[in-house]
Amino acid sequence: MLRVAVQLPEVLRPRSGGVKLDVVTKVAGEPEAKTSFSMMEVNEARDGGGLPAPPPGSSTHAYRLSPADAARFEALRAAMIEQGRQGRRGSMGLGVAAKEFCRANETPQASLPVRIYLLTSETKSFVPVVSDFDMLGDPALAGGLESIQPCRQ
């Protein structure tokens, strides 16, 4: 079980395929490897369970892996476990990012806080991995926000 939730100001919406899960694996003596997965948005109430309510003016978007990507992820995880059984030290890190957005309206914002949560079979509930990251506080992101296209209605 792997779920991701993103809380965004309502002025921004993630584009389909715009939320990614990056898995970085490292086995001793080998170069680091990165595998990316596109997350699928889900609307089922159980996928958002246990999340704090979004701040006023924000909304929550929940995601999961497609069945094919879930199988790829599980194979990657099993391969890392097998490396450990063979006495090879390794690590596996997860990163979640909302990378592609559309603009829901033209309303100027003083800040654009983003929260990202992760739920795994180990955590059994959503845990924050990014808390109140202000996209306008990062000069590289803030400059790129002007070029975000409007969402199709």
Side-chain angles (χ1 to χ4, degrees):
M1 173 186 284
L2 180 68
R3 299 285 188 270
V4 171
V6 179
Q7 289 181 337
L8 294 169
E10 290 175 349
V11 70
L12 293 176
R13 290 191 194 132
R15 289 192 184 274
S16 177
V19 175
K20 309 285 186 195
L21 172 71
D22 294 327
V23 180
V24 178
T25 55
K26 175 75 172 121
V27 175
E30 295 180 14
E32 190 174 89
K34 179 179 173 183
T35 306
S36 290
F37 301 89
S38 290
M39 304 295 287
M40 297 174 42
E41 189 162 9
V42 293
N43 294 318
E44 301 169 28
R46 65 181 166 80
D47 288 310
L51 282 169
S58 295
S59 58
T60 301
H61 306 269
Y63 299 86
R64 67 173 177 82
L65 293 172
S66 70
D69 277 349
R72 281 192 325 134
F73 177 82
E74 198 52 45
L76 188 62
R77 186 173 153 174
M80 290 301 293
I81 291 169
E82 182 58 30
Q83 293 284 345
R85 286 186 184 132
Q86 294 176 8
R88 300 187 70 202
R89 295 180 56 92
S91 63
M92 184 173 176
L94 303 177
V96 178
K99 298 181 178 184
E100 298 173 27
F101 303 94
C102 63
R103 198 175 57 247
N105 63 41
E106 300 290 332
T107 307
Q109 302 287 311
S111 66
L112 291 173
V114 176
R115 296 175 179 172
I116 299 177
Y117 298 87
L118 182 66
L119 178 145
T120 68
S121 56
E122 291 80 14
T123 64
K124 298 191 182 5
S125 64
F126 281 98
V127 295
V129 292
V130 174
S131 295
D132 296 326
F133 173 75
D134 183 3
M135 294 175 67
L136 294 179
D138 181 316
L141 285 176
L145 290 172
E146 294 174 7
S147 65
I148 293 176
Q149 297 298 311
C151 300
R152 291 186 186 148
Q153 301 298 332

